[in-house]
Amino acid sequence: MGRSESVASDLKKTDLRLSPDEILRRLSGIELLRALPPEEMHRLVGGVHYEAFPAGTCLMRQGETGRTMYFLEKGTAAVRRDGTPEVLRVESGSVVGEMALFTGAPRSADVTAETDLEVWRIDKEAFDRIIEASPELRKTLHELVEHRLEGTRLTLPHPNVWVATALRSLEAQYRGLRTWQWLMGIGLAFWFLHLANQFLGIVDEERYHLPIAFGQFLTGLLILQGACESYVTGVERLGARLRWDGFISGTIGSLLSTLPEFVVIGFLVLVEPLAAFVTAVVTIFNNALAFSVYSFFLPKDRTGCYAMPRSLTNAGGEILIPGAAITLIVGAVMLVMRVEHVRTHLVGVDLLVIALVLMMIYAYYLVTLVRYYAEGQDNLESLPPDPGRLGHDTSIRGIAIMFALGTLGAYAGGEAIGGFAETLLKDMHLPIIPTSAALAFFAGISEYIIVYKSHQRGELGIALSNVFGGLTQVMFLLLPFGLLVIGLSGLITGQAHYAIPINVATCLLLLLLFPLFYTLHQHIEQEKNITNLDAAAMTGVYVLLLYFLFTYPE
């Protein structure tokens, strides 16, 4: 290290304790780093050090041997060559000292802090170790040097896309137990204790049914979030092994992450078929409300708009039309049947036909999404990175463990929620719609987790697509699955219990889905963007719908 650099390093150091995630987010503002592969940035995190220098500090002198590179986060530095008075000013997001580390040549200029500076420092020893460990990084840096020498500018990815990929890579390469695994382990432990108690009778379940039901509530919550994470991780590992692209792995992961919801609905059918139906429908309202509320958090441009992913505005807008039409048709038919006293229940074949039509539409929806992606019509910001780039554990054992854990969690969590629902509905005789509204939270927990994690990584397009996908998947997959199970159970067992009663409450549930889908369609397909006014309007509509659903007497 040169004398001036040694003096600069001794002037002021700050021990800034940040997590690797936060370091990556702060480094994403450095243009030079965004020219490097984001999936290799986990190597850099341990080699950079935060420092702060007062104005007037000399960071480096021309002719010295370069042993340090600085990434400027805040402040301005002056660059002078050959002792001339001409000054080149570099500001936040710039890098100084990089060419000496890249090429080994002496410093080409003096660099002095014009204002107080906050920088990230990397020394040559750490830099060389990082380059040696990554051929891909070495190749990119070589290309970067050529561009610098030629004076050409690189096309850089958007900071959100770059840092999201870097964060995914950092997460993929972590081999310890994660928070969700600890929480799921606690939930499974409680579930096994409850299972053992059923056989051994240590605690009287009839006497302590309320505490036990509350325990099942917490157990289901802990297990289901873990089951969702397990499936997503398993798909990403499998995708890395099979070289899937980000679209395929993201689509399959989104579908599999809803499997715990299907299990919950399956257990609810055994407890009370109407509760399963109501839970699925109320989940649609909940997810629509989540979509509108999340829209407030999207960054808006100068006109107050957020441009939505093209796949959402095109294919997403198209699927809302049949969703609105089907709910209006079925709800109106049920209302006429009730008024004319023609039928009192939807049973067997009726439920199967409705379910199959909805599933068929969703299948074509997926085909349309694939077409948009294949034709390059989707926004790159709304697609996750290819999992093969991220460094996942691709061993068969690791993949099998994640899928096995997800399957066990889906069953255990569904069984726990089924037991909780049975206590509320059968023992405490609570009304179905408010109770189902509480259960609907569990049915939507997987989507909420995915949306939260995507937003935290800065993947706003992915988060928005997932919160919308949660709505369409419930309407065209989860709801028809519930209808399918109820209908088949009725046909196989011959029990009249497996049916959907035609009453004012069930008619309202379906009819009120029409304004939900209509409102969403108008904002998505017609305007192609979201404003805070749109979000406020949708939120108001959905809150009003939920209010009348929950306050109408059963």
Side-chain angles (χ1 to χ4, degrees):
M1 182 181 293
R3 178 177 174 276
S4 61
E5 294 181 48
S6 179
V7 171
S9 296
D10 290 338
L11 277 173
K12 186 177 180 183
K13 291 188 179 181
T14 303
D15 184 14
L16 193 65
R17 299 184 182 276
L18 295 175
S19 67
D21 289 17
E22 184 59 29
I23 292 174
L24 280 173
R25 286 191 175 93
R26 294 178 70 160
L27 291 177
S28 68
I30 311 297
E31 289 193 357
L32 172 70
L33 292 181
R34 294 209 311 276
L36 303 179
E39 59 272 13
E40 296 290 337
M41 286 301 101
H42 64 278
R43 305 181 189 277
L44 189 67
V45 169
V48 296
H49 305 280
Y50 174 86
E51 293 191 48
F53 300 122
T57 304
C58 181
L59 273 67
M60 58 191 68
R61 292 193 184 280
Q62 186 173 351
E64 292 178 337
T65 301
R67 306 294 299 176
T68 305
M69 174 169 55
Y70 296 103
F71 305 115
L72 275 60
E73 183 173 15
K74 289 184 180 179
T76 304
V79 180
R80 292 181 175 87
R81 288 185 171 86
D82 301 320
T84 63
E86 295 181 9
V87 177
L88 171 67
R89 288 179 174 83
V90 290
E91 300 178 343
S92 303
S94 302
V95 183
V96 292
E98 76 280 8
M99 293 305 290
L101 259 66
F102 292 172
T103 65
R107 297 294 194 195
S108 60
D110 296 338
V111 179
T112 306
E114 276 200 331
T115 65
D116 290 348
L117 282 181
E118 294 182 30
V119 304
W120 293 90
R121 187 197 84 239
I122 183 168
D123 298 327
K124 182 170 176 57
E125 291 77 11
F127 181 79
D128 289 343
R129 284 196 305 270
I130 294 168
I131 299 305
E132 184 64 28
S134 174
E136 180 66 24
L137 198 56
R138 191 184 316 120
K139 176 185 174 184
T140 305
L141 281 171
H142 179 71
E143 295 173 353
L144 185 61
V145 170
E146 290 183 347
H147 279 280
R148 283 294 183 92
L149 294 175
E150 294 170 1
T152 56
R153 190 175 180 86
L154 290 172
T155 301
L156 301 177
H158 190 279
N160 284 349
V161 176
W162 185 90
V163 76
T165 304
L167 290 172
R168 279 182 178 264
S169 177
L170 190 66
E171 182 180 342
Q173 305 212 17
Y174 180 71
R175 296 297 182 257
L177 288 176
R178 300 172 185 173
T179 302
W180 68 263
Q181 291 171 325
W182 284 106
L183 294 175
M184 186 179 185
I186 293 171
L188 287 173
F190 282 128
W191 182 73
F192 280 115
L193 285 175
H194 178 70
L195 201 63
N197 185 66
Q198 288 181 322
F199 286 100
L200 301 177
I202 300 172
V203 179
D204 188 344
E205 294 196 1
E206 292 187 6
R207 182 177 180 183
Y208 298 100
H209 65 280
L210 282 180
I212 289 175
F214 182 71
Q216 289 175 311
F217 175 89
L218 292 178
T219 297
L221 179 62
L222 292 173
I223 294 176
L224 289 176
Q225 62 83 30
C228 164
E229 294 277 8
S230 297
Y231 279 124
V232 171
T233 303
V235 168
E236 288 177 342
R237 291 181 176 185
L238 183 62
R241 185 180 182 89
L242 300 180
R243 299 298 176 186
W244 289 344
D245 58 43
F247 174 79
I248 293 176
S249 65
T251 302
I252 295 176
S254 178
L255 291 174
L256 275 184
S257 68
T258 61
L259 186 57
E261 302 175 37
F262 285 82
V263 179
V264 169
I265 292 297
F267 275 104
L268 286 179
V269 169
L270 298 177
V271 174
E272 172 55 68
L274 179 58
F277 169 75
V278 173
T279 298
V281 175
V282 172
T283 300
I284 300 174
F285 286 97
N286 286 351
N287 287 352
L289 183 61
F291 179 91
S292 61
V293 170
Y294 179 68
S295 300
F296 281 108
F297 296 93
L298 296 170
K300 311 302 190 295
D301 61 20
R302 287 179 296 177
T303 64
C305 298
Y306 175 83
M308 290 183 289
R310 284 187 291 272
S311 60
L312 194 153
T313 57
N314 294 335
E318 291 169 8
I319 199 173
L320 293 174
I321 298 173
I326 289 173
T327 55
L328 181 61
I329 290 169
V330 177
V333 170
M334 289 174 62
L335 192 60
V336 170
M337 287 180 176
R338 175 179 171 80
V339 171
E340 297 295 327
H341 304 288
V342 176
R343 298 271 292 276
T344 59
H345 291 78
L346 288 180
V347 296
V349 176
D350 297 332
L351 299 177
L352 297 183
V353 170
I354 297 171
L356 292 175
V357 168
L358 288 170
M359 289 181 170
M360 179 192 68
I361 292 172
Y362 192 76
Y364 274 99
Y365 170 64
L366 289 180
V367 171
T368 304
L369 284 180
V370 172
R371 177 170 59 82
Y372 279 124
Y373 172 72
E375 294 175 357
Q377 296 185 34
D378 209 355
N379 310 55
L380 293 178
E381 293 83 359
S382 65
L383 296 173
D386 296 347
R389 298 161 42 196
L390 303 179
H392 285 286
D393 173 11
T394 58
S395 67
I396 294 295
R397 177 175 174 272
I399 295 170
I401 287 175
M402 286 297 106
F403 282 122
L405 196 60
T407 303
L408 173 63
Y411 175 82
E415 194 270 344
I417 297 304
F420 172 66
E422 187 170 13
T423 299
L424 297 183
L425 297 173
K426 301 296 185 182
D427 297 340
M428 300 180 65
H429 305 290
L430 294 180
I432 289 179
I433 290 183
T435 303
S436 299
L439 298 175
F441 170 78
F442 292 97
I445 193 170
S446 62
E447 298 302 332
Y448 306 147
I449 290 172
I450 292 173
V451 171
Y452 173 76
K453 291 186 66 175
S454 297
H455 184 80
Q456 286 295 99
R457 285 192 292 249
E459 299 172 326
L460 304 180
I462 295 174
L464 187 62
S465 296
N466 272 287
V467 76
F468 178 80
L471 194 156
T472 55
Q473 285 174 7
V474 175
M475 176 63 197
F476 292 93
L477 281 182
L478 188 63
L479 175 60
F481 171 78
L483 298 178
L484 203 62
V485 174
I486 296 170
L488 287 175
S489 298
L491 290 174
I492 293 172
T493 64
Q495 297 181 18
H497 176 66
Y498 293 105
I500 304 298
I502 300 175
N503 54 38
V504 175
T506 54
C507 290
L508 271 179
L509 278 170
L510 288 175
L511 288 174
L512 291 181
L513 284 174
F514 173 76
L516 182 152
F517 285 114
Y518 177 80
T519 302
L520 199 57
H521 172 265
Q522 290 300 107
H523 285 295
I524 286 180
E525 188 172 25
Q526 299 298 323
E527 299 182 24
K528 310 294 184 184
N529 55 49
I530 283 285
T531 67
N532 283 341
L533 177 59
D534 297 332
M538 288 190 293
T539 302
V541 170
Y542 300 149
V543 167
L544 191 61
L545 292 174
L546 286 169
Y547 168 77
F548 283 114
L549 282 177
F550 295 157
T551 57
Y552 184 84
E554 295 181 35

